[in-house]
Amino acid sequence: MGNCFAKSNKSTAEIVPHHDHSTTVRLFASTTAEIVPHHDHSTVVRLFGSASGTNTAHVRLALLHKSVSHRFTASVADTPLLQIGSERISGTRDFLLQYIEAKFPHPPLVLRGVAGDDRTTPLPVSATVLQHKSIAWHANRLVRWAEDLGSRGGKRKGNGGVDPTVGTPRMEVRKFARSYSQLLEMMLEHAQMEERVLFPILDVDDPAICKAANEEHARDLPIMNGIKEDIKSIGVLDNGSPAYQEALSNLSKRLKSLQEHCKEHFVEEEKQLLPYMEAAELSKEQQRKLLERCLNVMQGTHSHLINFLLEGLVPLEAMQYLDLISLCSNCEQMVSMLDISK
């Protein structure tokens, strides 16, 4: 799985910096891309590797975490290759990550913190928490984007000129709608994963909490559907009209409500429900099988929305999620989940 971490050209209304990272994670790009990071290094690194290889993805995430300027070129080779000046380095993923850590020590990679090395947190719990983080980031991003839309009242930015990164107000609303549709699909699949795979296991220990969590999912549906309808309404209204402004106001309120519900719900799950999974003391093999079931339920998220999911994570978290995916015992299944050609 190749990652293209191209510097974002989008407005702050559309892309909200995440954890002080101004560069957006862009995955699966087959084109050559240059990274212009937060902190510039005098040495420019070139990376060659498969645009659909997890090893290449890990190396690129590590370079992004280090804020190392680098240029990626897709190749047919399965093994990534780094070129730093006249020096060319190739090898296993771990070897290259260790090399990057030695060459660019700050900030540290904390390699022992990747998923699979943590012997205390069950694999399905790690995946669930990372999904929570991504959903929360995207929800916050849309809230801020909606607020920016409302403050502009459907007017173009600047002195009446068109912002080429956003386009016309109607084009921007379409982009907003697409982002929300992606978030909605991921949220629905995440809820189904918990209801079908995790909750039945945890229900043995505390049926009341699981029932409350299921009810919480159901309560969010009207808000989620209401947001979808609000966006549709905005898309057909004349920008700048009173009705347009009112629709933007309603949209912002619903998004904030959804954001708060998600935040509260995720905190409750992580503090009250998921610890039962640790208490179950599942073997590593049981955890792997359970993880595979979780990933299978979220088929859309782990195919055409994998870029979207990882975009909501900082580089180290994205590496952790890739590690979880790579634990799938069925290689064909793993490749299928990451195949964006579907």
Side-chain angles (χ1 to χ4, degrees):
M1 177 175 11
N3 294 53
C4 176
F5 305 113
K7 183 179 180 181
S8 174
N9 292 319
K10 296 184 178 182
S11 68
T12 53
E14 188 168 354
I15 298 295
V16 181
H18 181 38
H19 296 278
D20 296 326
H21 286 272
S22 61
T23 309
T24 301
V25 177
R26 290 291 172 190
L27 301 167
F28 309 118
S30 58
T31 57
T32 300
E34 185 174 2
I35 308 312
V36 183
H38 223 45
H39 304 292
D40 190 25
H41 288 271
S42 58
T43 303
V44 175
V45 176
R46 296 194 68 188
L47 171 63
F48 303 85
S50 169
S52 59
T54 56
N55 290 337
T56 304
H58 278 86
V59 173
R60 301 186 76 184
L61 284 164
L63 292 172
L64 176 61
H65 176 69
K66 299 288 187 177
S67 293
V68 175
S69 298
H70 64 284
R71 183 181 294 273
F72 170 71
T73 302
S75 68
V76 296
D78 293 330
T79 303
L81 183 147
L82 285 170
Q83 181 176 329
I84 303 178
S86 60
E87 187 178 13
R88 295 168 70 90
I89 308 96
S90 183
T92 65
R93 181 195 73 178
D94 291 342
F95 173 80
L96 290 175
L97 291 180
Q98 291 169 6
Y99 176 86
I100 292 171
E101 181 74 347
K103 188 77 174 179
F104 308 101
H106 302 293
L109 271 177
V110 196
L111 295 175
R112 288 178 296 178
V114 298
D117 291 336
D118 187 345
R119 299 181 183 276
T120 59
T121 305
L123 300 176
V125 173
S126 296
T128 301
V129 171
L130 289 172
Q131 289 169 14
H132 285 174
K133 290 184 177 182
S134 180
I135 291 171
W137 181 79
H138 279 291
N140 179 60
R141 169 176 170 265
L142 287 174
V143 165
R144 293 179 62 177
W145 191 357
E147 289 174 343
D148 186 72
L149 277 169
S151 67
R152 287 184 275 127
K155 298 178 181 178
R156 296 168 178 167
K157 287 191 167 184
N159 297 320
V162 175
D163 182 346
T165 66
V166 177
T168 65
R170 188 153 293 181
M171 288 172 61
E172 185 174 2
V173 171
R174 285 200 294 266
K175 291 178 181 179
F176 188 98
R178 183 167 59 250
S179 289
Y180 179 72
S181 293
Q182 291 173 321
L183 175 60
L184 181 60
E185 182 175 353
M186 185 166 72
M187 290 179 68
L188 291 174
E189 287 197 334
H190 173 80
Q192 290 172 358
M193 178 270 288
E194 291 183 333
E195 293 169 4
R196 296 179 186 178
V197 182
L198 297 185
F199 290 174
I201 296 174
L202 305 177
D203 189 68
V204 176
D205 294 299
D206 199 325
I209 292 182
C210 290
K211 181 181 178 182
N214 278 313
E215 292 173 349
E216 189 70 25
H217 287 170
R219 281 196 293 268
D220 285 340
L221 279 175
I223 300 175
M224 295 160 70
N225 291 331
I227 291 171
K228 190 173 182 178
E229 293 304 313
D230 282 343
I231 298 173
K232 286 182 180 179
S233 299
I234 294 170
V236 298
L237 293 172
D238 293 331
N239 61 289
S241 66
Y244 186 89
Q245 280 294 119
E246 183 179 358
L248 282 175
S249 177
N250 290 334
L251 172 64
S252 183
K253 290 176 182 177
R254 287 184 193 265
L255 279 169
K256 287 180 182 178
S257 179
L258 179 63
Q259 181 191 31
E260 288 301 316
H261 282 208
C262 286
K263 182 179 178 180
E264 294 172 1
H265 180 60
F266 292 164
V267 169
E268 289 176 359
E269 282 190 356
E270 292 173 20
K271 287 187 176 181
Q272 300 179 16
L273 201 58
L274 295 182
Y276 284 122
M277 188 68 72
E278 298 182 18
E281 297 183 348
L282 300 174
S283 68
K284 279 295 181 182
E285 184 59 27
Q286 288 174 319
Q287 291 182 38
R288 286 172 186 266
K289 290 181 179 180
L290 196 60
L291 175 64
E292 286 193 19
R293 290 178 58 198
C294 290
L295 298 179
N296 284 339
V297 172
M298 300 180 66
Q299 291 181 359
T301 298
H302 295 105
S303 57
H304 62 276
L305 290 182
I306 187 65
N307 180 10
F308 185 80
L309 187 155
L310 295 182
E311 188 179 48
L313 302 173
V314 296
L316 285 178
E317 292 168 346
M319 291 174 74
Q320 291 171 7
Y321 204 84
L322 287 175
D323 281 336
L324 289 167
I325 292 176
S326 68
L327 292 175
C328 290
S329 57
N330 188 324
C331 292
E332 292 184 2
Q333 179 186 31
M334 181 181 71
V335 172
S336 175
M337 285 193 297
L338 303 175
D339 182 6
I340 62 165
S341 64
K342 293 181 178 180

